[in-house]
Amino acid sequence: MILFKKSEDLRVWLADRGKQVGKTGFVPTMGALHEGHIRLIEACRAVSDLCICSIFINPAQFNDPRDFAKYPVSIEKDLEMLAKAGTDLVFLPSVEEIYPPRENGLETYDLGGLATILEGKFRPGHFQGVCQVMSRLLKIIMPDDLFMGQKDFQQCLVVKKLISLLKIPVGFHTVPTVRESDGLAQSSRNRRLTPGQRKNAVAISRALYDIRDKFVSGDVGAVVESAREKLEEAQFKIDYISIARATDLQPILKWDGKEKAAALIAAFQGEVRLIDNMLLN
Ligand code: AMP
């Protein structure tokens, strides 16, 4: 496994050697890796000749500086996991490498309604930050295929939109969410939960499974209310519970059971903000 810290070195290497090896796949991460990330690496390896992973905690996408400061870091263990999973190349840039101080101002992208609902509403600026880092990483690496997790469903839609705005020729792959045995979606943030919070945290996936398995069609209101009760019983402070069109995340009020739909939840367990979602059909 080769490690690069400088964009220019990576660019030169890819231009020189990388492209000769065939198809390049890319898995962007913020480190603190778990099985979910490794599943992305496996999906990448399955269709790529060269599997590239980046580890970069992107300050631009944290609307809350405390969240950024507390983001878990475990580089050595991450590199071990990546090597074991068969990653060929890791890009580990510094903040200055991605956001050179001499650059004036960050670009903004027209993400339409996606920017202002759900995560966009509760984390203002978050998706602009995601796009800023993703556009830079994609321009440096220029992969044939990009792999991201359904766990961050809205992020997948945002990045697909970015790719179409920038007309970047890359195949987008959404990889299903990897869960703990009790259903909790794996997340780097789970590490910050106390044992008691960890037990409560399962209420999110339970609520989502409940909606997916019992909701066939009709008014959304009662379904959301029942999920709200379950989450509140488990001490969650809720940002949103939404049943939405899977294509653009616009809310559905009455579901015909046919339109592609997803249930999405964001809620705090103590200070830790967790998100999860499930496709309903
Ligand atoms: P992060 O390091 O949190 O920025 O995540 C890097 C990538 O891993 C993103 O595309 C996430 O959607 C994906 N990811 C995070 N958690 C999971 C999970 N439990 N299952 C599958 N993919 C995940």
Side-chain angles (χ1 to χ4, degrees):
M1 191 168 80
I2 322 171
L3 190 73
F4 283 93
K5 292 191 170 176
K6 301 275 179 205
S7 323
E8 200 42 39
D9 294 347
L10 175 56
R11 229 191 294 257
V12 168
W13 189 89
L14 284 170
D16 185 33
R17 301 240 325 263
K19 290 294 173 187
Q20 292 165 25
V21 301
K23 281 181 77 178
T24 307
F26 176 40
V27 177
T29 81
M30 298 203 296
L33 302 184
H34 50 66
E35 261 178 73
H37 297 108
I38 297 308
R39 198 67 61 80
L40 300 188
I41 298 289
E42 287 165 0
C44 176
R45 286 192 63 202
V47 300
S48 315
D49 302 297
L50 185 78
C51 171
I52 303 180
C53 176
S54 65
I55 299 178
F56 178 64
I57 306 177
N58 175 32
Q61 73 186 66
F62 287 84
N63 51 313
D64 178 355
R66 282 170 308 171
D67 195 24
F68 176 62
K70 284 189 186 157
Y71 202 83
V73 178
S74 56
I75 292 291
E76 267 164 39
K77 184 166 168 262
D78 292 351
L79 292 177
E80 248 170 59
M81 286 172 75
L82 290 175
K84 199 164 151 232
T87 313
D88 299 299
L89 193 158
V90 182
F91 184 38
L92 205 67
S94 64
V95 172
E96 292 72 30
E97 201 59 35
I98 296 296
Y99 300 109
R102 64 184 175 277
E103 265 184 24
N104 37 13
L106 293 168
E107 54 289 357
T108 52
Y109 297 94
D110 179 8
L111 301 172
L114 274 177
T116 48
I117 42 169
L118 306 179
E119 290 301 285
K121 176 172 168 202
F122 285 92
R123 301 184 67 189
H126 168 65
F127 287 127
Q128 290 299 331
V130 167
C131 288
Q132 283 149 3
V133 75
M134 283 307 299
S135 65
R136 285 147 196 257
L137 290 171
L138 288 170
K139 282 173 194 164
I140 296 166
I141 295 170
M142 295 196 292
D144 296 294
D145 293 280
L146 173 64
F147 300 82
M148 300 188 79
Q150 191 203 314
K151 159 84 171 31
D152 300 278
F153 190 62
Q154 192 170 1
Q155 173 170 269
C156 288
L157 297 181
V158 163
V159 173
K160 279 193 226 174
K161 171 104 186 167
L162 174 75
I163 288 169
S164 79
L165 286 174
L166 298 180
K167 301 190 174 59
I168 297 177
V170 60
F172 189 94
H173 303 255
T174 307
V175 179
T177 304
V178 175
R179 298 178 178 281
E180 302 290 352
S181 53
D182 65 355
L184 175 69
Q186 293 212 356
S187 165
S188 311
R189 290 198 164 89
N190 295 351
R191 296 181 191 187
R192 288 172 51 203
L193 298 169
T194 65
Q197 290 170 338
R198 169 63 187 83
K199 273 195 200 131
N200 291 337
V202 73
I204 292 192
S205 56
R206 290 222 174 110
L208 289 170
Y209 277 118
D210 214 40
I211 297 172
R212 190 196 68 182
D213 296 341
K214 293 190 187 147
F215 188 36
V216 282
S217 67
D219 282 335
V220 161
V223 176
V224 168
E225 203 36 54
S226 143
R228 179 175 300 281
E229 278 167 22
K230 285 193 199 101
L231 291 180
E232 282 173 354
E233 259 168 44
Q235 316 298 321
F236 269 108
K237 203 173 131 290
I238 300 163
D239 268 356
Y240 60 79
I241 302 169
S242 176
I243 295 186
R245 293 201 302 234
T247 46
D248 60 5
L249 299 184
Q250 287 304 312
I252 293 175
L253 301 178
K254 200 176 171 106
W255 190 40
D256 62 7
K258 292 184 194 127
E259 179 161 38
K260 280 268 169 219
L264 305 101
I265 293 177
F268 281 90
Q269 188 61 228
E271 288 201 340
V272 185
R273 188 171 184 279
L274 300 176
I275 62 169
D276 196 358
N277 68 84
M278 234 167 249
L279 293 170
L280 301 187
N281 54 346

